[in-house]
C-alpha cells in the first residue's frame, strides 16, 4: 500500500471512530437527561441514602433501544423483540412508568405502604400510583429497584393527563428515611415533557404484538362474561319453565 493510500485509510478510520464516539456520547447524554439522582448524606457524613429516578420519555426509550442494539449487534428482528418486551414492561399504553433505584447506607428505610409515599404531579394536581413493585413495602437496607406506575388517562373523561403538561414532578415523602426525616419534606424530581410523544412507539411489529396481546386478553374477558351471562339465561329459562308448568297444572284443574 502506498503512503498516500495509507494516509487516506488512516484518516477515514479516524473519521469513522469520531462519528461512532460522537453518536455514543449523544445517546448517553439523552439517557442521563431523563435519569436523575439525589444523594443525601447523614449529619455525620458517614451514611447516605441515594434515589435515582428514570422517566421513560419517548426520547429515552428510543436512545435505550439504540444503545442496546448497538452494544449487542442485534438484527432488526432482535431489536424489535427487545422493544416489544420493553414496551410490555413499561405498560405505556395505559400507565406512566417511573423506575426507582434506591441505595441506602444508613438506618433502614420503612416505606410501607409504598403507594402512600410517592406521587406524580401533573398540571398542579397530584396522582397516586395504580401499581408498584411490592418489594418497596419491605424494610430496606442496601440496594433495591423497581417500577412504579401512575395513570396515563383521566379516569372520568378518558383524556390523556399529559396532553397539556409542560413539566411533571415525581415526589418521594421525606419521612421514608431517618436521614431525610425532618430535613426535607420531600425528595423531588422534575422533567420537561412538553415535547414528549410516547405514542410514536405504537407502530411497527412491536406495537402489533402488543395489540395482539391486548386483543387476546380482551377476547378471554369477553368469553368469560358471555359464560356468566349464559349461565344466568339458563337459570332464567329453567325458572320460566317451572312457572309455566305450574300455571298449566293449575289451569287444567
Amino acid at each position: 500500500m502506498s503512503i498516500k493510500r495509507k494516509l487516506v485509510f488512516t484518516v477515514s478510520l479516524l473519521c469513522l471512530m469520531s462519528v461512532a464516539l460522537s453518536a455514543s456520547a449523544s445517546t448517553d447524554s439523552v439517557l442521563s437527561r431523563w435519569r436523575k439522582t439525589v444523594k443525601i448524606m447523614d449529619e455525620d457524613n458517614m451514611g447516605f441514602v441515594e434515589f435515582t429516578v428514570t422517566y421513560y420519555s419517548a426520547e429515552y426509550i428510543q436512545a435505550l433501544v439504540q444503545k442496546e442494539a448497538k452494544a449487542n449487534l442485534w438484527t432488526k428482528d432482535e431489536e424489535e423483540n427487545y422493544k416489544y418486551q420493553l414496551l410490555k414492561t413499561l405498560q405505556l399504553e395505559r400507565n406512566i412508568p417511573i423506575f426507582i433505584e434506591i441505595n441506602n447506607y444508613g438506618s433502614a428505610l420503612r416505606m410501607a405502604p409504598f403507594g402512600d409515599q410517592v406521587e406524580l404531579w401533573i398540571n398542579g394536581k397530584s396522582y397516586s400510583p395504580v401499581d408498584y413493585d411490592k418489594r418497596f413495602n419491605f424494610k430496606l437496607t442496601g440496594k433495591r429497584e423497581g417500577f412504579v406506575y401512575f395513570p396515563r388517562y383521566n379516569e372520568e373523561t378518558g383524556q390523556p393527563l399529559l396532553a397539556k403538561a409542560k413539566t411533571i414532578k415525581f415526589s418521594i415523602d421525606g419521612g421514608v428515611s431517618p436521614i431525610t426525616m425532618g430535613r426535607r419534606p420531600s425528595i423531588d424530581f422534575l422533567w420537561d415533557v412538553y415535547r414528549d410523544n410516547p405514542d410514536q412507539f405504537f407502530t411497527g411489529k412491536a406495537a402489533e404484538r402488543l395489540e395482539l396481546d391486548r386483543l387476546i386478553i380482551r377476547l378471554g374477558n369477553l368469553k368469560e362474561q358471555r359464560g356468566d351471562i349464559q349461565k344466568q339465561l339458563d337459570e332464567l329459562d329453567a325458572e320460566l319453565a317451572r312457572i309455566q308448568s305450574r300455571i298449566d297444572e293449575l289451569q287444567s284443574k
Side-chain angles (χ1 to χ4, degrees):
M1 184 181 291
S2 67
I3 296 177
K4 185 177 179 180
R5 284 187 176 180
K6 285 182 178 177
L7 182 62
V8 170
F9 176 77
T10 303
V11 170
S12 299
L13 183 61
L14 289 173
C15 287
L16 287 173
M17 290 175 64
S18 175
V19 169
L21 288 172
S22 175
S24 177
S26 175
T27 300
D28 289 342
S29 173
V30 169
L31 294 175
S32 64
R33 185 158 58 243
W34 298 99
R35 188 170 182 268
K36 299 176 181 291
T37 298
V38 172
K39 183 176 181 179
I40 305 164
M41 302 296 299
D42 65 15
E43 293 180 345
D44 298 327
N45 282 330
M46 297 294 288
F48 68 87
V49 60
E50 182 180 80
F51 300 91
T52 298
V53 178
T54 303
Y55 176 78
Y56 278 75
S57 69
E59 185 185 43
Y60 181 87
I61 296 169
Q62 187 65 34
L64 183 61
V65 171
Q66 289 177 354
K67 183 174 183 177
E68 292 297 323
K70 287 180 181 176
N72 296 286
L73 301 176
W74 285 338
T75 63
K76 192 63 182 174
D77 283 345
E78 289 172 327
E79 182 179 329
E80 282 293 330
N81 187 55
Y82 173 77
K83 184 177 166 184
Y84 161 73
Q85 295 294 344
L86 179 62
L87 294 177
K88 192 174 180 181
T89 300
L90 296 177
Q91 305 177 14
L92 278 178
E93 72 280 11
R94 59 182 184 279
N95 294 326
I96 299 172
I98 302 284
F99 189 72
I100 308 173
E101 302 162 72
I102 302 175
N103 287 333
N104 178 42
Y105 291 93
S107 300
L109 306 187
R110 299 177 189 275
M111 302 185 288
F114 186 70
D116 290 350
Q117 313 302 333
V118 296
E119 55 187 352
L120 189 67
W121 290 85
I122 306 173
N123 290 329
K125 186 176 179 182
S126 69
Y127 295 87
S128 298
V130 293
D131 196 11
Y132 59 86
D133 191 323
K134 298 301 185 291
R135 292 175 301 161
F136 285 126
N137 283 331
F138 295 96
K139 187 173 75 172
L140 193 165
T141 54
K143 298 182 179 181
R144 193 165 297 164
E145 60 185 31
F147 277 100
V148 55
Y149 299 94
F150 293 90
R152 181 172 292 279
Y153 297 95
N154 184 303
E155 238 180 35
E156 297 177 354
T157 66
Q159 296 299 309
L161 297 176
L162 294 171
K164 296 180 180 178
K166 293 183 178 179
T167 60
I168 62 170
K169 181 175 75 173
F170 174 72
S171 296
I172 303 173
D173 193 298
V176 298
S177 165
I179 294 177
T180 56
M181 190 180 298
R183 297 172 62 190
R184 300 180 65 148
S186 63
I187 303 104
D188 300 324
F189 304 83
L190 288 100
W191 297 275
D192 293 326
V193 296
Y194 62 96
R195 291 180 180 173
D196 189 35
N197 179 24
D199 290 343
Q200 68 179 273
F201 292 107
F202 293 99
T203 59
K205 290 184 180 178
E208 289 172 357
R209 290 179 66 185
L210 284 173
E211 183 180 9
L212 181 60
D213 290 345
R214 182 179 64 78
L215 291 176
I216 290 173
I217 292 173
R218 178 66 176 155
L219 183 64
N221 291 337
L222 288 174
K223 284 183 175 178
E224 186 176 345
Q225 289 178 27
R226 186 179 63 179
D228 291 340
I229 293 172
Q230 186 62 54
K231 184 179 178 183
Q232 292 178 25
L233 285 173
D234 291 344
E235 290 174 355
L236 285 172
D237 286 342
E239 179 67 11
L240 286 170
R242 282 195 295 271
I243 292 172
Q244 186 63 53
S245 176
R246 180 58 178 162
I247 290 173
D248 293 344
E249 181 183 340
L250 292 172
Q251 287 178 336
S252 64
K253 289 182 178 178

